[in-house]
Amino acid sequence: MAALVEGRTGAWEVVIGLEVHAQIISRAKLFSGAATAFGAEPNTQVSTVDAAFPGMLPVINRHCVEQAVRTGLGLDAEINLVSVFDRKNYFYADLPAGYQISQYSRPIVGKGKLSLDLPDGSSREIGITRLHLEQDAGKSLHDQHPTLTYVDLNRAGVALMEIVSEPDIRSAEEAGAYLRKLRSILRYLGTCDGNMEEGSLRCDCNVSVRRPGAALGTRCEIKNVNSIRFVMQAIEYEARRQIEVIEEGGTVKQETRLFDAGRGVTRPMRSKEEAHDYRYFPDPDLLPLTLDPAWVEGLRRALPELPDAKKARFIAAYKLSPNDAGVLVGEQSSADYFEMVAKGRDPKLAANWVMVELYGVLNRLGLGIERPPVSAAALGELIDLIVDGTLSGRLAKDVFAAMVETGKSAAALVEERGLKQVTDSAAIAGAIDAILAAEAGKVAEYRAGKEKLFGYFVGQVMKATGGKANPALVNEALRRKLAG
Ligand code: ADP
Ligand code: MG
């Protein structure tokens, strides 16, 4: 179901296609042996190929090809056994060769698909048009000198996958869900770290609007947006802008725009007339890339379990809700953590502890689940103490907080702090007798029909036992005594 946007003159449908540039995880560049580590001193990771010295020849990096094929397989896409590298020609200071090696008419990966998880628990398929390999350009530094621009070529030649979607996305929320899902798949595969702050994942957003059911409208392309939140803001703004233009009797001009994150608006960068003519042609330095079908099959068989399959398994095997399963499989490490906690335990209880208590602490401390403050084994032991009646659910939360703080085990903390739940019925009965004797007036009111006082008595007993009495036993014994 497509979310429509209400304009002054009726409803509009927003149409979005995304082009994502994903930096491949690889120690060396696409056509040279230079290193790719993030944050190195400028121009320390540049080979003569990257700097385009005369006569230097590109040599394809097999690992990067493997990463692109594995990504294609992870997107359920056709793998093209023959693909071609083209030169995309343009002049820019950070592009020493005067062209970028890319793929144009014959990309390495063809049509695929990606399934979006929607908030209502349903899913929707978005078509992938293609994935191709290309080199990144260098970087112009405008803030190093008052009048000069410096160039850093460390990034020049780094391998990118450009992943293009069909115009199947219908709202800013769906665009956000698409990017989160794509990033999750790339991370599971280990083909891109998905780090948008460091620029390993960048997104161009193509946006148009139309009346529901009408032909596609004219699109604008918003270049190089570098966070999911900004992608969503840029799309919201751009769709509104186009609707206003049309409703005021104008027409949308096809153009490239930039998102100004500070002001939350898009503004024109260049129009279609100024668009580059890249004069693509096959790079004469590189043969067509031919893949061995058996090698591709081997890569397919060795793929890890991906988020959709894992989610389906979590729902079937652990009886989790689609939403809970979706949250847990978002990152491979959180899925693994959950499975370790759930092993041999009540999965629903394990899921709650991971998603509520553990995630709460991770958020508060700004940590990722790869470095959890409490190990899966230690959390499992805590849950065992709840199940065997040693700890009430409430006390267990305190113990968990103490585990985070001290790094001690649940059992050690229970021992040390004397937190063992009171399940001894004689001790509970003693506490109840003392309270009822001290509160004779309230007991009389209760027996005369003021039933809501029951909660008050429970509270008093819990207080008297330092919160350690087993709540179920307290309830049961209180009812008996108040009735008698
Ligand atoms: P280009 O190579 O000029 O960027 P493409 O035809 O390859 O153009 O399209 C690029 C992206 O634009 C794709 O993600 C595609 O889905 C999207 N797209 C194409 N037409 C529209 C449209 N009318 N509205 C929104 N997105 C569109
Ligand atoms: Mg484009």
Side-chain angles (χ1 to χ4, degrees):
M1 191 219 48
L4 298 180
V5 176
E6 235 10 85
R8 203 161 39 75
T9 61
W12 295 89
E13 186 175 29
V14 183
V15 175
I16 302 151
L18 299 179
E19 295 166 272
V20 170
H21 287 93
Q23 183 177 327
I24 290 178
I25 295 178
S26 163
R27 295 213 305 275
K29 296 182 181 179
L30 183 53
F31 297 110
S32 87
T36 60
F38 178 78
E41 280 292 300
N43 297 310
T44 55
Q45 300 178 343
V46 187
S47 77
T48 47
V49 176
D50 310 320
F53 278 32
M56 296 299 107
L57 290 173
V59 177
I60 187 126
N61 178 339
R62 183 187 175 95
H63 177 67
C64 294
V65 174
E66 178 174 328
Q67 293 285 62
V69 170
R70 292 180 64 245
T71 304
L73 293 170
L75 295 170
D76 238 336
E78 292 162 26
I79 305 300
N80 293 325
L81 296 177
V82 180
S83 65
V84 172
F85 287 102
D86 296 289
R87 289 187 180 179
K88 178 177 179 177
N89 301 282
Y90 64 95
F91 177 79
Y92 206 77
D94 60 21
L95 190 77
Y99 60 85
Q100 175 193 26
I101 304 177
S102 180
Q103 296 190 302
Y104 189 56
S105 51
R106 302 189 67 183
I108 186 165
V109 175
K111 283 198 180 311
K113 53 185 192 274
L114 181 144
S115 156
L116 286 193
D117 306 305
L118 301 175
D120 66 359
S122 66
S123 60
R124 203 162 86 70
E125 207 161 86
I126 304 297
I128 303 286
T129 314
R130 58 189 270 153
L131 176 158
H132 66 251
L133 275 166
E134 64 183 30
Q135 306 174 293
D136 207 346
K139 197 171 168 186
S140 298
L141 307 172
H142 303 292
D143 55 0
Q144 308 286 307
H145 189 278
T147 53
L148 301 177
T149 288
Y150 289 0
V151 173
D152 175 11
L153 292 181
N154 281 352
R155 228 173 52 181
V158 163
L160 302 179
M161 299 180 279
E162 177 167 339
I163 305 167
V164 181
S165 88
E166 292 288 302
D168 288 348
I169 300 166
R170 290 290 174 271
S171 66
E173 286 68 39
E174 285 191 2
Y178 174 89
L179 289 173
R180 281 194 301 274
K181 185 59 162 289
L182 180 61
R183 188 173 61 182
S184 172
I185 292 171
L186 296 171
R187 284 185 177 157
Y188 266 68
L189 291 165
T191 56
C192 169
D193 66 24
N195 191 332
M196 293 187 91
E197 295 81 63
E198 292 180 3
S200 333
L201 201 66
R202 313 194 283 268
C203 183
D204 300 342
C205 314
N206 296 270
V207 180
S208 65
V209 299
R210 65 177 176 188
R211 292 297 188 188
L216 286 180
T218 303
R219 72 187 151 110
C220 289
E221 177 172 3
I222 311 157
K223 276 281 178 203
N224 252 324
V225 191
N226 62 3
S227 86
I228 293 180
R229 193 162 57 88
F230 291 160
V231 164
M232 294 172 65
Q233 284 176 7
I235 291 171
E236 292 277 3
Y237 176 87
E238 181 58 20
R240 276 275 155 217
R241 185 189 71 82
Q242 292 182 13
I243 290 170
E244 268 166 39
V245 167
I246 302 172
E247 289 192 329
E248 261 144 48
T251 47
V252 174
K253 276 194 303 156
Q254 183 168 343
E255 63 187 2
T256 304
R257 300 176 70 88
L258 283 177
F259 179 61
D260 179 338
R263 296 196 297 141
V265 303
T266 65
R267 52 188 164 76
M269 184 171 127
R270 58 171 180 256
S271 69
K272 196 182 177 188
E273 290 75 49
E274 305 159 66
H276 298 294
D277 176 353
Y278 293 116
R279 318 246 162 172
Y280 281 98
F281 64 86
D283 191 317
D285 290 340
L286 290 159
L287 289 169
L289 181 62
T290 309
L291 306 179
D292 173 2
W295 179 72
V296 173
E297 262 322 296
L299 294 178
R300 186 196 302 278
R301 278 196 304 274
L303 286 186
E305 182 183 40
L306 291 173
D308 289 337
K310 205 183 276 292
K311 180 177 170 187
R313 181 167 65 77
F314 278 18
I315 293 171
Y318 299 117
K319 308 279 177 283
L320 296 182
S321 71
N323 268 330
D324 287 359
V327 170
L328 289 170
V329 305
E331 298 276 349
Q332 174 103 50
S333 39
S334 61
D336 291 347
Y337 187 102
F338 161 73
E339 288 210 275
M340 265 186 268
V341 178
K343 193 163 186 217
R345 302 191 176 90
D346 173 6
K348 189 71 209 166
L349 192 58
N352 272 335
W353 272 88
V354 172
M355 291 194 309
V356 181
E357 302 304 324
L358 180 73
Y359 281 16
V361 165
L362 293 177
N363 273 338
R364 190 159 51 73
L365 302 179
L367 293 176
I369 199 162
E370 318 77 49
R371 288 175 38 239
V374 172
S375 73
L379 177 55
E381 285 167 19
L382 174 66
I383 292 174
D384 290 342
L385 293 179
I386 304 171
V387 173
D388 74 10
T390 305
L391 282 174
S392 68
R394 203 193 62 73
L395 275 184
K397 288 183 186 173
D398 299 344
V399 171
F400 184 70
M403 290 166 75
V404 172
E405 221 162 87
T406 63
K408 291 182 182 169
S409 76
L413 286 161
V414 167
E415 198 55 50
E416 188 181 300
R417 305 191 177 186
L419 293 175
K420 216 167 154 54
Q421 177 168 252
V422 180
T423 50
D424 170 358
S425 23
I428 290 176
I432 291 178
D433 289 341
I435 300 290
L436 296 189
E439 303 272 11
K442 289 215 163 61
V443 172
E445 282 178 53
Y446 176 85
R447 288 188 171 137
K450 200 168 172 192
E451 290 196 4
K452 62 171 191 257
L453 278 172
F454 189 77
Y456 170 78
F457 293 127
V458 173
Q460 292 302 106
V461 176
M462 294 309 287
K463 206 163 136 194
T465 56
K468 287 182 289 186
N470 177 310
L473 294 180
V474 170
N475 269 280
E476 191 191 300
L478 249 180
R479 285 214 191 281
R480 227 180 320 108
K481 297 216 179 233
L482 284 167

